[in-house]
Amino acid sequence: MSDHLLINGRVHTMDPALPQARAILIRDGIIAAVGGDDIPALAKPGARITDLGGRLVLPGFQDAHTHLLSGGTDLATAAQLYEAEDSDRLAQLIRSHAAAHPDLPLLVGAGWQPGIFGDHNLTAAWLDPLTGSRPALIYDSSFHSACFNTAALAMAGITADTHAPPNGHILRDTAGQATGMLHEDAIPWALERLPGFTDDQLLAGLMAGQAHANRHGITGVIDAKITATEARIYARAARENLLTLRVAGAAHVSEADTPETALARLSALRTAHLGPDFHINAAKFFMDGVFENRSAACLAPYADEAGGNAPCMFRHDQTLALMTALDAARFQIHVHVIGDAACSRALDGLEAALAANGPWPASHQITHLQLVAPADFPRLARLAMANIQPLWARFDPKIPDIALDMIGPARLPTTYAFRDLLKLGAGFALSSDWPVSTLNPFEIIETAITRQARTKDHPGPPFLPDQALSVTECVAGYTINAARASWRDGYSGRLSPGFSADLIVTDQDIFSCAPAQISATRVLLTLFRGQEVWRDPYFR
């Protein structure tokens, strides 16, 4: 590779030693120099020169909680149901997808919205006329619920006598027959009995997902649920030099695991996938589900009329034993937490691990953090990074948010309370949880600042505006902090000599534009290791 010189830019390096610069010299995929008018003289003869025209340059963004392979596969193969606002439109999307893909052995849809659809109006009987005799299922936008058609229920062997797996739910009618709706761990359990995608199809999905990520300026991710399938496909892409971003993996730990089984499986995965572009370093726990299917674990009952609650998905003693053993083996712990009881349980596990094993730079992460008990804010700041999805911290202008009814007004102030966490010194990283919500970092950053939906979506009032973040904090959350969360802050996350040349150029300066305009930002150029992995067609 010859030298590549970028000049006349507004470079935010995220390096405290040189926060801003005008020029960057890239050599062999590594940043050779950063500075001002002195940098061009360091380039070798024949260097490629890009005049940035005063545009903003940032380190490549890193999404610290996403499901890149499954999201890309859905992007390439599934009916996109996210925008459906009534049953007629939902049916039209499913029917059109089935007609357009007659050869798919399994029809999949993704993204129906809880608050409009759910247990009350999605059944196998409703889905059957749209999908015919082929097995089919449609996921909600959180991927914690899915409606199966009759063919899929039969193929999965679900009858009136079928018991749901641990942490799974099979919804039944008054006669005891499965309606078609499955929640939580019942979904992957049923999927094991249905036709799957080939490795070539999954690889094509990965290519679609990472192209989508590169277009939005993303050069690194944490895939927050690694099973043998994800490990196999990411490893193949790395082996064939197809990765245009870095993947850190959090390997799934289930309720059926013991410390011995979890350590054996995760250690084998870690040894087999050491990087640099794909490495497994973390253990992923789902401590609860989601409010939308009433599987979020809370310290007090839900506040809506139906009430009730849900247990944590790991027992207390099991949590402490698993986390202590995995921490001792130097795995990062990455925990899905929605309800405040789930957060407390996860923090108990991390506290036990710290007491048994002592401190080390693990950057353990608690992710989502929809509801946190006030007593747990200082514990979280002391024990883990907050891995947050700010897009969710807003009133949705279209979709009724049934979770807010379940949380209730008394607990509302501790809902997505990001500023309170940062005041206590909590480490944090920003992320999307794609495909649950948009992968676009600029939409997410705007919401983190405004706590509202985009202007074009006719937003309501801000959601707890005193919990808003700043632009600078958000950029740190997507760069230096996300790199630390991914265990690659020694060579990525900032624009410094010796670091990988992972950077983006944008069409506007998000530090100076109006906050409500940030979501309109376009990435004009994305470099990964100095190579172009995305260029806007209009950028010259």
Side-chain angles (χ1 to χ4, degrees):
M1 295 173 61
S2 60
D3 283 5
H4 186 181
L5 183 63
L6 290 82
I7 61 172
N8 193 24
R10 292 200 301 276
V11 183
H12 285 250
T13 67
M14 306 309 293
D15 182 348
L18 181 68
Q20 298 188 24
R22 287 177 45 81
I24 301 174
L25 176 61
I26 298 170
R27 180 171 294 152
D28 297 329
I30 301 297
I31 296 173
V34 181
D37 296 338
D38 56 323
I39 300 302
L42 303 177
K44 294 179 179 178
R48 178 185 176 188
I49 299 175
T50 299
D51 189 331
L52 300 171
R55 294 184 176 92
L56 178 68
V57 181
L58 295 169
F61 282 177
Q62 303 189 40
D63 191 320
H65 185 105
T66 185
H67 302 276
L68 185 67
L69 176 58
S70 59
T73 303
D74 286 337
L75 194 66
T77 63
Q80 301 298 297
L81 311 177
Y82 296 88
E83 301 301 321
E85 296 181 28
D86 57 54
S87 295
D88 289 344
R89 178 58 175 159
L90 187 67
Q92 179 188 21
L93 291 169
I94 296 166
R95 188 183 292 112
S96 297
H97 181 75
H101 298 87
D103 298 327
L104 285 177
L106 176 66
L107 290 170
V108 177
W112 54 264
Q113 296 291 347
I116 299 177
F117 309 105
D119 295 351
H120 62 290
N121 60 2
L122 293 183
T123 64
W126 180 86
L127 192 55
D128 286 345
L130 309 175
T131 55
S133 60
R134 279 184 289 174
L137 70 150
I138 54 172
Y139 289 99
D140 78 326
S141 60
S142 76
F143 292 80
H144 285 253
S145 297
C147 185
F148 286 55
N149 71 356
T150 298
L153 290 175
M155 191 172 290
I158 296 176
T159 70
D161 300 322
T162 304
H163 293 287
N167 296 325
H169 307 275
I170 299 172
L171 192 69
R172 300 185 183 279
D173 61 21
T174 54
Q177 299 298 320
T179 67
M181 186 67 75
L182 274 60
H183 298 159
E184 301 301 332
D185 285 359
I187 301 170
W189 170 83
L191 280 173
E192 290 178 358
R193 298 156 177 82
L194 299 182
F197 294 109
T198 67
D199 280 10
D200 285 347
Q201 290 170 322
L202 292 170
L203 185 65
L206 174 56
M207 296 302 101
Q210 71 173 359
H212 185 57
N214 292 155
R215 180 174 186 154
H216 289 299
I218 294 170
T219 58
V221 300
I222 293 176
D223 190 309
K225 186 182 177 183
I226 297 288
T227 68
T229 299
E230 284 82 8
R232 186 174 68 253
I233 301 305
Y234 284 128
R236 175 179 169 183
R239 188 170 60 250
E240 296 178 11
N241 295 315
L242 297 174
L243 289 177
T244 57
L245 44 69
R246 295 182 179 87
V247 180
H252 184 229
V253 178
S254 80
E255 178 271 345
D257 271 313
T258 65
E260 293 75 22
T261 61
L263 278 174
R265 185 176 68 258
L266 269 64
S267 296
L269 284 169
R270 179 169 63 181
T271 299
H273 308 292
L274 296 172
D277 290 343
F278 171 51
H279 74 278
I280 291 176
N281 67 312
K284 169 63 179 293
F285 291 76
F286 285 90
M287 194 55 67
D288 65 346
V290 293
F291 279 108
E292 288 75 9
N293 66 19
R294 311 188 76 85
S295 60
C298 293
L299 293 170
Y302 302 148
D304 64 351
E305 184 177 354
N309 206 337
C312 291
M313 291 185 172
F314 291 83
R315 301 185 317 275
H316 190 267
D317 62 329
Q318 182 186 28
T319 300
L320 271 57
L322 282 165
M323 290 189 181
T324 298
L326 289 161
D327 176 84
R330 294 308 187 243
F331 282 97
Q332 181 187 79
I333 309 298
H334 191 121
V335 194
H336 165 111
V337 155
I338 293 293
D340 49 8
C343 184
S344 290
R345 179 71 51 89
L347 292 172
D348 286 349
L350 293 180
E351 202 151 41
L354 177 64
N357 305 323
W360 63 284
S363 298
H364 294 316
Q365 288 162 70
I366 309 292
T367 189
H368 308 321
L369 294 165
Q370 186 165 1
L371 185 63
V372 179
D376 280 334
F377 278 79
R379 283 214 299 162
L380 199 156
R382 177 168 55 87
L383 294 168
M385 291 183 72
N387 189 317
I388 56 176
Q389 296 76 42
L391 191 80
W392 304 346
R394 65 184 189 180
F395 292 111
D396 194 295
K398 296 180 180 179
I399 312 299
D401 193 343
I402 58 178
L404 295 183
D405 294 333
M406 299 167 75
I407 291 169
R411 294 183 292 200
L412 188 65
T414 57
T415 304
Y416 298 132
F418 304 145
R419 172 57 56 196
D420 286 349
L421 281 169
L422 268 60
K423 284 179 181 176
L424 292 169
F428 69 100
L430 268 59
S431 58
S432 67
D433 202 13
W434 187 73
V436 172
S437 54
T438 181
L439 190 68
N440 187 336
F442 299 102
E443 291 185 29
I444 293 168
I445 289 171
E446 179 180 309
T447 300
I449 296 164
T450 66
R451 305 281 287 200
Q452 291 175 293
R454 295 174 296 178
T455 301
K456 71 176 187 177
D457 294 326
H458 309 292
F463 180 82
L464 302 178
D466 58 322
Q467 298 296 332
L469 305 180
S470 69
V471 177
T472 299
E473 288 167 336
C474 289
V475 172
Y478 262 117
T479 57
I480 51 175
N481 294 1
R484 177 161 58 89
S486 309
W487 287 11
R488 42 182 176 245
D489 53 325
Y491 55 89
S492 73
R494 55 189 172 100
L495 301 176
S496 304
F499 274 56
S500 182
D502 310 333
L503 60 84
I504 63 175
V505 180
T506 66
D507 69 333
Q508 66 172 344
D509 188 341
I510 64 173
F511 291 94
S512 59
C513 73
Q517 296 300 314
I518 291 174
S519 62
T521 303
R522 295 195 339 267
V523 175
L524 302 178
L525 181 69
T526 304
L527 300 186
F528 174 63
R529 289 189 174 147
Q531 297 278 6
E532 286 187 12
V533 294
W534 163 252
R535 176 183 282 266
D536 188 286
Y538 297 102
F539 179 54
R540 296 288 183 266

